Amino acid sequence: MKLNVAVFMGGQSCEHEISCITANQALKALDNEKYEIIPVYVAKNSDLYTGEKLFELKNYYDLDALCKDLDKVCLYKDGNKTYIRPIKGFFAKAQPIDVAFLAMHGTGGEDGSLQGFLELMDIPYTSSNVLGSAIGQDKVIMKEVLEMEDVPQLPWFYVFSNEIEDNIREIEETAKEISYPLIIKPANLGSSIGIEIVHKKSELLPKLKECARYDSKLVIEKMVTNLKEVNISVMGNVYDPKLSAIEEVMKNDELLSFKDKYESGGAKKGPAKKVPGASKGMASTSRKIPARLTKKQEETVRENAVKAFRGLNANGVVRIDYIIDGDTGKVYVNEINSIPGSLAFYLWKEVGVDFSKECDILIDNALKMYREKKKMTRSFDTNILSNYKEG
Ligand SMILES: Nc1ncnc2c1ncn2[C@@H]1O[C@H](COP(=O)(O)OP(=O)(O)O)[C@@H](O)[C@H]1O
Ligand SMILES: [Mg+2]
């Protein structure tokens, strides 16, 4: 019997198109001898669709036209199974879902929302759970957890967007302690969107206000000017995390931008209209593998990847990004990507795990963690209500 695997993609985030690329890479890698593959497209308005057209990336160039050729679907639970079924058509066939394979990035898909929906629907899924996903999405909470886990980070603090003007003197003081240049980031976005560089005190307030357009919480962090960026992927679960090769990311601008990451063709900054010219998503970024690191730096990267993965309640496949200060050689964890672009397959390939094998590992792990959870005692077989008297 084949396992029914629903591959989720799209969603409300600004990484919608990137998610479609990741999903299409996975759709090609998943072994169709083992799996009945059901692509599930989450439209920008959260309508769900499935259909054959989702197997070909060229069909995504016009998303509205694509939706017209797909079936709008719903998920429902019946007995021990959860099914996906077209909304229209009395005789439309329902298919059970055994596991959800998540190729979603950003808001809604990577932040615990979809994970919560799948928990409620009782479907095993390949990513971190609700808590792990939510921690990874909020840079402030993520940094606080990493701090507690003793993971090295650059000096940082945060402010609420609506308190900037009232507290500007205090903010300036703390900024001075950390010392310029600084970098400001919206707590909940990704892909370098909304990030500002502050070279001196007079720029602080206007740049904070600019960044405040994107989020209610802002991270202010020491900026490394001579930096090297390296990433490592971690796969598995908190009991047995495995490490990939380490990549060194090359960039063109002062910041690793959306353009560097996804549009190496040189389109304008921001999500491209067509599926980006570089149809390889994150796999198209220019990189060196293995990264050029000293033995000691490599050890620090590997050691802290495991610490971060476990501390942040991660699961499935994640990517942990580092900033290395070229002047001091010091290694700092920058962030976790709970569902990394291209599921970081290009890092696993380097250690002998091809994308098909990676998909198998992710599915096996999802089913294993689901069974583990089911073993936990969650409720007692009593009915308090049967003895309850109103009034
Ligand atoms: N402290 C820093 N010093 C120098 N560059 C930074 C720093 N923090 C981030 N960057 C640059 O900005 C990019 C995006 O920042 P990051 O924290 O990864 O946010 P995002 O979630 O948007 O990817 C990084 O890839 C890096 O190029
Ligand atoms: Mg990043």
Side-chain angles (χ1 to χ4, degrees):
M1 267 277 279
K2 284 191 190 178
L3 210 57
N4 286 346
V5 179
V7 178
F8 280 77
M9 70 183 98
Q12 296 165 354
S13 94
C14 44
E15 291 161 285
H16 183 100
E17 284 83 358
I18 310 305
S19 152
C20 295
I21 297 173
T22 297
N24 269 262
Q25 291 166 334
L27 288 172
K28 291 195 171 53
L30 281 156
D31 183 348
N32 54 18
E33 302 267 304
K34 284 189 199 155
Y35 310 119
E36 188 65 44
I37 303 162
I38 310 161
V40 181
Y41 173 65
V42 185
K44 290 184 180 175
N45 66 359
S46 291
D47 285 349
L48 303 179
Y49 293 90
T50 192
E52 283 300 310
K53 292 253 169 175
L54 289 169
F55 284 97
E56 273 305 325
L57 198 57
K58 67 173 168 23
N59 296 329
Y60 292 62
Y61 291 173
D62 182 340
L63 292 172
D64 293 332
L66 171 67
C67 288
K68 290 198 180 90
D69 284 337
L70 299 173
D71 286 323
K72 204 180 268 191
V73 288
C74 61
L75 267 60
Y76 68 92
K77 189 148 188 302
D78 190 15
N80 287 332
K81 282 266 167 210
T82 305
Y83 297 84
I84 184 165
R85 177 192 189 279
I87 287 173
K88 288 196 183 128
F90 191 70
F91 295 107
K93 192 170 152 267
Q95 263 179 302
I97 297 179
D98 295 313
V99 62
F101 189 100
L102 304 194
M104 308 277 291
H105 304 312
T107 320
E110 194 179 347
D111 62 6
S113 311
L114 176 60
Q115 289 73 9
F117 173 66
L118 294 168
E119 291 277 349
L120 205 61
M121 284 282 157
D122 203 21
I123 304 174
Y125 53 92
T126 51
S127 78
S128 301
N129 66 11
V130 175
L131 178 66
S133 304
I135 297 174
Q137 188 67 20
D138 186 302
K139 290 193 199 308
V140 172
I141 307 291
M142 174 189 72
K143 282 174 171 294
E144 284 174 340
V145 174
L146 290 178
E147 219 159 80
M148 286 191 285
E149 296 291 326
D150 254 345
V151 170
Q153 296 182 87
L154 286 157
W156 71 284
F157 67 108
Y158 77 97
V159 296
F160 286 107
S161 301
N162 61 358
E163 293 174 0
I164 294 169
E165 285 187 87
D166 289 348
N167 297 341
I168 191 63
R169 294 286 160 262
E170 230 175 90
I171 297 170
E172 281 170 356
E173 276 306 303
T174 319
K176 193 171 145 199
E177 274 166 36
I178 292 182
S179 87
Y180 294 91
L182 297 166
I183 195 155
I184 314 175
K185 308 174 188 179
N188 282 289
L189 281 181
S191 299
S192 305
I193 295 165
I195 291 188
E196 295 286 339
I197 298 170
V198 188
H199 297 99
K200 50 182 191 288
K201 184 177 156 187
S202 62
E203 290 175 5
L204 189 58
L205 183 60
K207 295 269 171 102
L208 280 168
K209 280 187 176 166
E210 177 56 29
C211 194
R213 299 191 321 147
Y214 295 93
D215 211 324
S216 56
K217 252 184 342 189
L218 310 177
V219 169
I220 304 166
E221 186 178 86
K222 174 78 194 151
M223 180 174 184
V224 174
T225 41
N226 177 16
L227 88 163
K228 183 185 269 193
E229 292 188 70
V230 303
N231 306 331
I232 188 169
S233 178
V234 189
M235 183 154 59
N237 53 61
V238 288
Y239 311 116
D240 186 21
K242 299 270 193 294
L243 295 171
S244 75
I246 304 172
E247 65 172 331
E248 182 177 337
V249 189
M250 306 315 208
K251 55 180 195 157
N252 301 317
D253 298 336
E254 208 169 354
L255 296 175
L256 186 62
S257 66
F258 195 94
K259 189 163 97 187
D260 282 326
K261 282 180 188 164
Y262 307 125
E263 297 176 31
S264 51
K268 277 209 185 106
K269 201 167 172 175
K273 252 275 169 282
K274 288 192 168 188
V275 173
S279 62
K280 291 184 183 147
M282 189 59 194
S284 71
T285 307
S286 54
R287 58 173 54 85
K288 271 202 169 63
I289 305 176
R292 295 163 300 176
L293 298 173
T294 64
K295 201 85 213 116
K296 178 109 191 357
Q297 285 172 330
E298 187 183 330
E299 262 168 39
T300 311
V301 167
R302 295 175 67 85
E303 213 174 277
N304 284 292
V306 173
K307 261 198 204 174
F309 185 89
R310 292 170 61 106
L312 295 168
N313 279 259
N315 184 60
V317 66
V318 308
R319 201 188 70 226
I320 313 243
D321 295 355
Y322 292 77
I323 286 178
I324 298 181
D325 187 329
D327 296 335
T328 62
K330 282 202 176 142
V331 175
Y332 304 96
V333 168
N334 181 34
E335 64 166 344
I336 185 170
N337 292 278
S338 305
I339 306 183
S342 301
L343 303 183
F345 75 80
Y346 49 89
L347 291 176
W348 289 101
K349 202 175 70 185
E350 298 293 323
V351 290
V353 179
D354 68 20
F355 201 5
S356 284
K357 176 81 186 137
E358 180 182 342
C359 293
D360 291 346
I361 295 172
L362 289 172
I363 290 169
D364 287 350
N365 184 56
L367 296 172
K368 185 169 169 223
M369 296 315 278
Y370 175 83
R371 284 194 298 268
E372 286 272 317
K373 190 181 69 184
K374 287 279 161 185
K375 276 196 268 173
M376 307 282 171
T377 307
R378 296 238 161 173
S379 62
F380 296 100
D381 224 358
T382 59
N383 187 351
I384 291 171
L385 289 175
S386 62
N387 293 320
Y388 182 74
K389 305 247 180 317
E390 269 187 86

